[in-house]
Amino acid sequence: MKKLINAVEDIVPEMLEGLVRAHPDRLRKLEGHNVIVRKDAPVQGKVGLVSGGGSGHEPAHAGYVGPGMLDAGVAGEVFTSPTPEPVFEAIKAVNGGRGVLLVIKNYTGDVMNFEMAGEMAAAEGIEVASVVVNDDVAVQDSLYTTGRRGVAGTVFVHKIAGARAAAGGSLQEVKQAAEHVIANVRSMGMALSPCTVPAAGKPGFELGEDEIEIGIGIHGEPGVQKGKLMPASAIVDMMLDRILADIDYTGREAALMVNGMGATPLMELYVATRAAHLRLDREGVRVYRTYVGNFMTSLEMAGFSLTLLRLDDDLKKLLDAPADTPAFKQS
């Protein structure tokens, strides 16, 4: 295992300190906790948004802290849910008097610990609501979840709920916007090679030179199916088959996210983007916006995921709203 680290136990706090040092004008770290908040938090009169989970998915989640998206990102150890205490501290730090929405990816530990933190905050008189993102069509249940996993579609939830909050929406309105995204977003991922968790020191699964994993999660786990390497267009078609079969996108506009898993060259992501557009054209799905890059990674895993968000006028307006975070900017 070769990684650019000092000590395994210091990776997460050193990463977060580096993020704050890169963006000192907009971010700060809560003392004693692996929590990144907006430098101007709490923003009075605005619903606060808190998300997070295990580290190793960078730029998620701290990279999405800023105007138009999250108010706080909570980082656990690599692929490990943060405990309730730092989530509770994040809620208190971003509460501007109109309540706080927790955006939780559907992983059992995340759901349990974020909801426990919400109860702790409620006991102190802070109004808290939560949503659970479950966009992965590859599984119905997994080793880590009851129900589908929450993966890259979570970024669209951050964007659209963040836009509603920035526009002055109430806690209930911000939650409804997030739930509207969850009902209309679907994702699926694949891997060309596994990742190595630093503390484990070995890959999470093995793949032959001519093999791929279909339906991977974002915690280094293998996919639901192993197959032979195929042309990019065939892989994209196979992934879109599952997504398009899940909800009806025909004749609708959609936002497309082509998400690298951490070690995939942009050249290959754009090849996949072309293939996705051609297939969606054939299916009568009009692509309104396309996002290509690393949005929800799995350390240095090679591969990608596709996320498709079915849009209506309200979602388009919120998607188009400005955002200014280290990892996602839109003017």
Side-chain angles (χ1 to χ4, degrees):
M1 178 187 74
K2 291 194 288 187
K3 290 183 182 288
L4 187 63
I5 61 177
N6 292 308
V8 168
E9 63 272 21
D10 295 333
I11 289 175
V12 175
E14 289 186 357
M15 169 190 69
L16 296 178
E17 183 181 338
L19 178 66
V20 172
R21 286 178 179 269
H23 304 281
D25 56 330
R26 59 177 68 183
L27 301 177
R28 60 185 169 90
K29 181 177 177 293
L30 293 188
E31 185 69 31
H33 298 283
N34 288 331
V35 177
I36 299 296
V37 300
R38 287 174 57 158
K39 194 161 188 177
D40 58 353
V43 180
Q44 295 300 321
K46 188 187 86 67
V47 171
L49 262 71
V50 175
S51 190
S55 296
H57 308 304
E58 290 68 36
H61 297 82
Y64 300 120
V65 173
M69 294 185 81
L70 300 178
D71 292 84
V74 187
E77 296 300 318
V78 175
F79 295 166
T80 302
S81 300
T83 62
E85 183 66 24
V87 182
F88 177 46
E89 294 299 325
I91 293 170
K92 290 191 293 183
V94 307
N95 177 37
R98 297 194 68 192
V100 176
L101 178 71
L102 305 179
V103 179
I104 311 167
K105 299 190 307 301
N106 189 32
Y107 284 89
T108 301
D110 287 354
V111 174
M112 181 177 66
N113 291 343
F114 273 72
E115 290 187 344
M116 191 177 299
E119 293 170 2
M120 294 162 67
E124 293 204 0
I126 301 173
E127 190 179 7
V128 178
S130 64
V131 295
V132 178
V133 187
N134 56 354
D135 55 310
D136 188 355
V137 301
V139 295
Q140 291 303 317
D141 297 289
S142 76
L143 284 175
Y144 302 95
T145 64
T146 299
R148 292 175 169 179
R149 300 174 292 214
V151 288
T154 309
V155 180
F156 280 137
V157 181
H158 296 343
K159 174 66 190 71
I160 285 170
R164 182 71 86 201
S170 66
L171 179 58
Q172 188 59 33
E173 290 169 334
V174 175
K175 180 180 179 182
Q176 287 174 349
E179 290 174 335
H180 194 32
V181 178
I182 293 168
N184 285 281
V185 69
R186 299 291 187 272
S187 300
M188 187 161 174
M190 63 79 63
L192 297 162
S193 69
C195 66
T196 297
V197 176
K202 60 181 182 181
F205 55 87
E206 294 185 358
L207 271 179
E209 283 296 316
D210 62 344
E211 292 179 323
I212 59 175
E213 288 278 354
I214 306 294
I216 50 102
I218 56 172
H219 294 90
E221 65 264 48
V224 296
Q225 175 185 345
K226 185 175 291 188
K228 294 295 183 183
L229 182 61
M230 298 177 282
S233 296
I235 294 172
V236 166
D237 277 341
M238 182 169 52
M239 294 161 70
L240 284 177
D241 283 346
R242 297 284 293 269
I243 292 172
L244 295 172
D246 204 72
I247 57 176
D248 187 6
Y249 293 85
T250 307
R252 301 287 295 271
E253 289 181 299
L256 170 68
M257 178 181 291
V258 182
N259 170 56
M261 299 306 296
T264 310
L266 274 173
M267 173 186 284
E268 295 173 31
L269 293 181
Y270 281 119
V271 169
T273 301
R274 171 186 176 273
H277 269 252
L278 292 175
R279 171 66 187 276
L280 293 171
D281 286 347
R282 295 196 299 273
E283 298 289 344
V285 181
R286 301 189 299 277
V287 178
Y288 179 71
R289 277 185 180 272
T290 304
Y291 301 88
V292 182
N294 290 322
F295 298 98
M296 182 75 72
T297 63
S298 183
L299 293 173
E300 79 279 25
M301 181 181 282
F304 72 106
S305 63
L306 296 175
T307 295
L308 208 56
L309 171 62
R310 189 171 57 179
L311 296 169
D312 56 23
D313 289 343
D314 189 46
L315 289 179
K316 284 167 60 177
K317 179 180 176 182
L318 294 169
L319 187 65
D320 288 344
D324 185 12
T325 76
F328 191 106
K329 296 181 189 299
Q330 190 162 279
S331 56

